[in-house]
Amino acid sequence: MKMTQRVPLTWSDFSALRWSGIEKPASRIGKLKLQQYAEKHGFACPKVLGRFDSASKIKLDSVNADAFVLKTEGLWSSEGVYVLHKIMGLHLFYDVKSQRVVSEDQIIQAALELEAKRNKKITFFIEQRVIDEEAKNIIPLDYKLFTFYDRVEFILQVDRNYTPARFCFFDGQFNVIKDDRVQASSHASQPAAKPRVPECADQMLRLASDLTKKLKATFISVDCYATPDGAVLGELTHTPGGPWFQRMYYFSDSFELELGRYWRLAYQKLQQDIPLLTVPHE
């Protein structure tokens, strides 16, 4: 097939540059380094309470907290994540996600199986538990702010208190999207989440834009939580899979172009050259 190069136009075009490795953003830092970076630069972020270099080294009884989250470095979509509460005196844990009581041995075994599946050692770490601004939400609502250098233009709200998780959409100012700019995929059969504009919405928007500017990034999906103490940073995603794979939701053609314009504008603000995209010759 004959190939040619052209300027990227849409959000998916720019994303393809990252998925293919043509664009390698310097702002791509791991979850553990992000916590250090956030603390250094004054962005609220959950504290890391412990780290294990592989599944076999996980020791949960050593954690000095009654409630915490076990996470993985370098994986995504909540893979290998446990939201745990210690059951005092029993050396057992209640996992909020699966709603089961589990032992440390069971968690280690599942982690070993995950390493076998990935065919590599995985770093696990313990993170401070984040509490949602509404006590009824055992798992805090997750807000993914699509941020183009200094401006947020799309927000995905994810509610993992349901299985499968429910989601809904906002524009960059927390106005609910009700038109066809963003639509749930036919694969997503679950009901939509109830939209909730967090009390710390303005602070969350500032956090996402300030952090992305500080990192000099053209685009990042900034994950945030709304807590009783305000907006808290979760993690950074440089290649969001939701609208890319379109299994959860997808952008309309016009919204694809609109977000592509904001990505292109971010390059211009940073005075960076836009890489060319290789596509089949038409």
Side-chain angles (χ1 to χ4, degrees), residues 27-234:
S27 55
R28 195 191 297 266
I29 56 179
K31 298 175 186 178
L32 289 168
K33 287 185 178 179
L34 175 62
Q35 194 274 338
Q36 298 170 3
Y37 184 92
E39 188 173 305
K40 178 180 178 181
H41 294 285
F43 297 103
C45 186
K47 291 183 179 179
V48 174
L49 306 177
R51 168 180 170 154
F52 313 105
D53 292 333
S54 65
S56 62
K57 295 183 179 180
I58 292 174
K59 293 189 181 299
L60 300 182
D61 281 338
S62 64
V63 180
N64 188 25
D66 293 333
F68 53 88
V69 183
L70 177 66
K71 290 188 171 183
T72 58
E73 175 78 342
L75 300 185
W76 53 89
S77 297
S78 299
E79 194 170 25
V81 175
Y82 296 84
V83 182
L84 300 171
H85 287 257
K86 285 183 178 179
I87 300 176
M88 303 307 294
L90 294 179
H91 300 290
L92 296 172
F93 304 87
Y94 178 71
D95 177 25
V96 174
K97 283 182 61 188
S98 66
Q99 299 183 358
R100 295 187 303 119
V101 174
V102 293
S103 67
E104 182 179 276
D105 287 343
Q106 287 175 309
I107 292 172
I108 291 173
Q109 182 58 40
L112 289 168
E113 291 172 3
L114 182 58
E115 286 185 334
K117 175 184 173 183
R118 293 286 179 177
N119 196 30
K120 66 176 183 179
K121 297 291 184 184
I122 297 172
T123 297
F124 293 80
F125 63 98
I126 300 293
E127 191 176 82
Q128 176 187 18
R129 174 83 186 277
V130 173
I131 304 301
D132 192 79
E133 68 179 17
E134 289 187 273
K136 68 176 184 178
N137 293 318
I138 305 301
I139 299 175
L141 302 191
D142 187 2
Y143 295 91
K144 301 178 183 296
L145 286 73
F146 280 41
T147 311
F148 300 84
Y149 182 57
D150 59 351
R151 57 192 298 164
V152 178
E153 292 298 337
F154 169 69
I155 302 167
L156 170 68
Q157 174 192 308
V158 183
D159 187 348
R160 293 191 174 87
N161 293 284
Y162 298 91
T163 303
R166 298 180 179 181
F167 48 89
C168 60
F169 317 110
F170 300 92
D171 67 12
Q173 295 299 316
F174 272 108
N175 299 304
V176 178
I177 294 178
K178 298 179 180 179
D179 54 31
D180 65 354
R181 282 175 290 173
V182 191
Q183 296 188 54
S185 167
S186 59
H187 300 285
S189 57
Q190 68 269 38
K194 181 180 179 181
R196 185 194 73 180
V197 178
E199 294 181 11
C200 57
D202 289 341
Q203 183 188 16
M204 193 177 285
L205 293 171
R206 285 196 304 273
L207 188 160
S209 61
D210 289 351
L211 177 61
T212 308
K213 281 180 66 178
K214 188 76 176 176
L215 289 166
K216 297 181 179 179
T218 56
F219 167 78
I220 303 176
S221 172
V222 182
D223 290 14
C224 293
Y225 304 108
T227 78
D229 297 320
V232 170
L233 174 64

Side-chain angles (χ1 to χ4, degrees), residues 250-261:
Y250 61 93
F251 299 140
S252 69
D253 290 346
S254 61
F255 200 46
E256 275 272 355
L257 285 167
E258 182 179 342
L259 296 182
R261 286 193 293 271

Side-chain angles (χ1 to χ4, degrees), residues 261-274:
R261 286 193 293 271
Y262 289 125
W263 204 324
R264 186 162 58 253
L265 181 60
Y267 269 98
Q268 294 169 356
K269 289 177 179 178
L270 285 164
Q271 298 183 331
Q272 295 179 3
D273 293 332
I274 300 175

